[in-house]
Amino acid sequence: MQPEPILAVSGLRTVFHIAGGDVVAVRDLDLTVAAGETVALVGESGSGKSVTGLSVMGLLPRGIGRIAAGTLRLRRKSGEMVELQAIGGEALRRVRGNDIGMVFQEPLTSLNPVYTVGEQIAEPIRIHLGRSRREAWAQAVRLLEDVGIPDPARRAGQYPHELSGGMRQRATIAMALACDPALLIADEPTTALDVTIQAQILDLLARLQQERGMGMLFVTHNLGVVAEIADRVAVMYAGSIVETGSVTRVFAHPRHPYTKGLMRSVPRLGEATALKEAGTPLPTISGSVPSLVNLPPGCPFAPRCPYRIDACVSAYPPLADTGEGQLSRCIRWQEV
Amino acid sequence: MLHYILRRSAVGLLMLLALTVLIFGMLRLAPGDPIDAYINPSVPMSASDLGALRVRLGLDQPLPVQYFAWLGAAVTGDFGYSIQRGGEPVLPLVLGRIGPTILLMFSGLLIATVAGIAAGIISAVRRNQPTDVGLSVLAFVGISSPAFLTALLGLYIFAVMLRWAPAGGMLTPGAPFSLTDLLAHLILPASLLAIGHGALIMRYMRSSLLEVLSQDYVRTARAKGVTEFWVIVKHAVRNALLPVITLIGSTIGIAIGGAIFIESIFDWPGMGLLMVNAVLRRDYPVIMCATLLTGACVIIVNLLTDIAYAAVDPRIKVA
Ligand SMILES: Nc1ncnc2c1ncn2[C@@H]1O[C@H](COP(=O)(O)OP(=O)(O)O)[C@@H](O)[C@H]1O
Ligand SMILES: [Mg+2]
């Protein structure tokens, strides 16, 4: 029997109330992350990846976004199980930054420009662990060292604008890990960085996750990154998970036309040059992501799908078990 | 930081110098011969006597020479003699009046800043709720009512009808000096002076804070589990203050104009009346000295806001 996961999301439905109607940004989402496991959430921009992360954190924009259905169960560091959607503001605040750490996409704008890096890392340690200013600062310096920042004692006293992009992202990682969380949510942590820095940050996250045995929910739109860092992957399209399974399985045998299309549009090593010389453009998925306002009843991918049949547009397909824990939301998965 | 302050002070000094050139030039461009002020029109004077007087006063010299002669004297504190007041030295005359004006001005500015920032924060946090709407309407009224109206209305309501505060003056005549007496006289004119400025500061603070609250680092603070109170006070307000500090510095001139006006309504013994009379009688030495000292005040306040800005924002290069 598998150990109880750190995070178990089931039936999550997140709705944005905006002028012009309700937007169902996340629909019927099931997801688990176990201790020591990395689960990647992958999909095009606007598919609902960030909203999923923010739903877990309880950080949906107030007055606009809300969790309309579903349960989000978290195993806290203490072993206590809590239902995040039900515990309410103050209890949720004690979980944020303490049991769950979060790293965002833009390292520059995610740090407060008017406080030192050390102060910002020390803050959650003071809040959640009740340490003194001095102890928290010392801990912040150790964390900066852990995330590979040279001369951490000096860097702690500097302001975000005095650090390079890669170093800033290391600092935000240190901040997310400050209270030794059970779960780390990383929302496109490498997207804003140079390629060489991207690889370093990925290595860093993988190492820290191994050392600390935490669960990691890794959001990205880049399949190459998924292959590098994740154990399992969930592919999102228009707010739904359309396929999920172990990275090896899904990459070897995609069972959903969307996943297949995504993989075809990522060039393999050396393939891009070959295609360029041959004059053929990189294959892409034709059409565009549907509007989430008033989605049609059937499969959201149907309008762009080469496998479409009449049954696809009439009913929303369930997740079908294709074996070995791989699930596909396609009624024709056997033919894909 | 010290280096930065010194550099800003040097710039302030240069601005002051530029101001003297400007004032000197403008007064000389004004119509009328400055010598007119020195002669009694009912006593006839020969052209040669007039010429001799010109030479004695240095008015025959080229303008730059006149300017440097004036500047040289001014640096030693000699601003000449008042024409309208039978040769009283100008500096003690102006200095005696500038204290009450500065007191009034800074009290008004302090009230405007504290109240404006506090109201702006409350308004932004309670966005679109009744408190916010109420405060925004008040701010709109404050900005759009003319100062003479609010001043007279305030005087009438609080001093005449309600009798909460004295109607004029700075101290009760004949009574021994006491701080409470001074404050009682100060509070009403200073508050009225603060209305327009405070309303402006509030609107800036509100929109600046709303902008900051949508920034990524505010979300980061929440993601760390910072309480909502500290998210606002520690993470958002300090960033939101930056444009407001600039506003306060750049509108200080308005506060001075307002102070002079309030003084005349509340019979406040400041520079207001002195300056108005000096302008009417073309009392150049007084005008120049008063303008220069007022300008110095503006430059000092700007210097202070620059320093405040640097203290709040570490991105300002202070080294
Ligand atoms: N603040 C918001 N207001 C309204 N709608 C939003 C907001 N944030 C996200 N959405 C909706 O949720 C969808 C998914 O957004 P998001 O999760 O940010 O996508 P991504 O997969 O690129 O992270 C968007 O396409 C949009 O329709
Ligand atoms: Mg996103």
Side-chain angles (χ1 to χ4, degrees), chain B residues 4-18 299 303 306:
Chain B
Y4 175 79
I5 295 173
L6 286 178
R7 210 178 54 210
R8 299 298 310 173
S9 306
V11 172
L13 218 57
L14 279 179
M15 278 164 63
L16 203 60
L17 212 59
I299 287 167
L303 183 66
D306 277 353

Side-chain angles (χ1 to χ4, degrees), chain A residues 16 18 23 25 43-52 61 64 187-188 219 292:
Chain A
F16 284 89
I18 52 162
V23 171
E44 284 167 285
S45 167
S47 54
K49 309 181 296 291
S50 295
V51 172
T52 305
I64 313 172
D187 190 346
E188 312 229 15
V219 171
L292 295 178

Side-chain angles (χ1 to χ4, degrees), chain A:
Chain A
M1 209 190 108
Q2 286 213 328
E4 177 132 32
I6 298 284
L7 176 74
V9 178
S10 76
L12 175 67
R13 183 181 179 85
T14 302
V15 178
F16 284 89
H17 187 73
I18 52 162
D22 279 357
V23 171
V24 183
V26 173
R27 185 177 183 186
D28 255 346
L29 184 132
D30 296 335
L31 189 75
T32 60
V33 182
E37 181 189 43
T38 298
V39 176
L41 211 49
V42 66
E44 284 167 285
S45 167
S47 54
K49 309 181 296 291
S50 295
V51 172
T52 305
L54 294 176
S55 301
V56 174
M57 289 294 276
L59 286 177
L60 294 168
R62 268 171 256 191
I64 313 172
R66 70 190 168 86
I67 295 174
T71 55
L72 303 118
R73 290 167 60 80
L74 178 82
R75 182 149 52 91
R76 300 189 62 178
K77 287 186 288 186
S78 59
E80 176 199 2
M81 296 297 302
V82 287
E83 299 219 334
L84 298 173
Q85 85 286 356
I87 56 176
E90 177 57 19
L92 200 55
R93 183 188 67 72
R94 291 176 199 279
V95 167
R96 283 201 291 263
N98 186 13
D99 300 288
I100 313 177
M102 186 153 184
V103 178
F104 296 98
Q105 180 173 339
E106 291 289 340
L108 179 58
T109 57
S110 296
L111 288 165
N112 194 324
V114 301
Y115 293 105
T116 60
V117 171
E119 159 66 22
Q120 296 186 60
I121 298 171
E123 194 174 23
I125 302 172
R126 292 209 318 268
I127 297 174
H128 297 297
L129 308 182
R131 297 284 153 74
S132 71
R133 218 162 249 284
R134 239 187 137 79
E135 290 170 331
W137 184 272
Q139 177 67 18
V141 173
R142 278 195 295 276
L143 281 158
L144 282 175
E145 189 168 11
D146 274 358
V147 298
I149 289 188
D151 199 359
R154 185 173 65 90
R155 291 297 183 181
Q158 290 188 325
Y159 292 92
H161 73 273
E162 298 174 90
L163 270 56
S164 69
M167 260 204 266
R168 281 182 208 134
Q169 197 59 309
R170 285 174 194 268
T172 65
I173 291 170
M175 198 158 73
L177 297 181
C179 297
D180 205 4
L183 175 71
L184 181 71
I185 301 179
D187 190 346
E188 312 229 15
T190 59
T191 305
L193 304 173
D194 291 345
V195 183
T196 48
I197 314 281
Q198 277 188 19
Q200 292 173 11
I201 297 290
L202 280 183
D203 287 347
L204 173 69
L205 283 170
R207 170 172 73 78
L208 291 168
Q209 191 243 11
Q210 285 304 310
E211 285 173 6
R212 292 165 180 249
M214 54 184 180
M216 176 151 79
L217 181 62
F218 193 100
V219 171
T220 178
H221 63 261
N222 185 334
L223 279 177
V225 170
V226 174
E228 199 161 321
I229 200 158
D231 304 307
R232 286 193 299 124
V233 59
V235 182
M236 281 191 87
Y237 186 81
S240 302
I241 289 184
V242 293
E243 177 160 15
T244 175
S246 72
V247 169
T248 19
R249 273 287 297 199
V250 172
F251 275 54
H253 311 283
R255 292 296 190 196
H256 193 283
Y258 177 63
T259 317
K260 206 170 167 181
L262 267 188
M263 297 208 326
R264 287 238 315 273
S265 60
V266 180
R268 272 171 237 280
L269 205 59
E271 203 179 83
T273 347
L275 284 171
K276 205 164 154 191
E277 278 162 5
T280 30
L282 213 57
T284 51
I285 308 174
S286 61
S288 60
V289 185
S291 153
L292 295 178
V293 187
N294 307 319
L295 268 180
C299 171
F301 188 60
R304 297 167 77 182
C305 184
Y307 294 82
R308 181 186 57 230
I309 53 173
D310 286 350
C312 294
V313 282
S314 56
Y316 181 63
L319 273 174
D321 192 343
T322 72
E324 289 188 36
Q326 188 181 4
L327 308 174
S328 166
R329 203 180 282 284
C330 178
I331 50 176
R332 299 182 67 191
W333 63 267
Q334 274 147 324
E335 300 155 58
V336 175

Side-chain angles (χ1 to χ4, degrees), chain A residues 112-115 159-161, chain B residues 1 4 238-239 241-243 245 305-318:
Chain A
N112 194 324
V114 301
Y115 293 105
Y159 292 92
H161 73 273
Chain B
M1 195 68 181
Y4 175 79
R238 186 157 165 195
N239 283 284
L241 277 177
L242 296 172
I245 292 173
T305 51
D306 277 353
I307 292 169
Y309 200 107
V312 172
D313 189 349
R315 286 164 297 184
I316 302 290
K317 269 270 167 283
V318 294

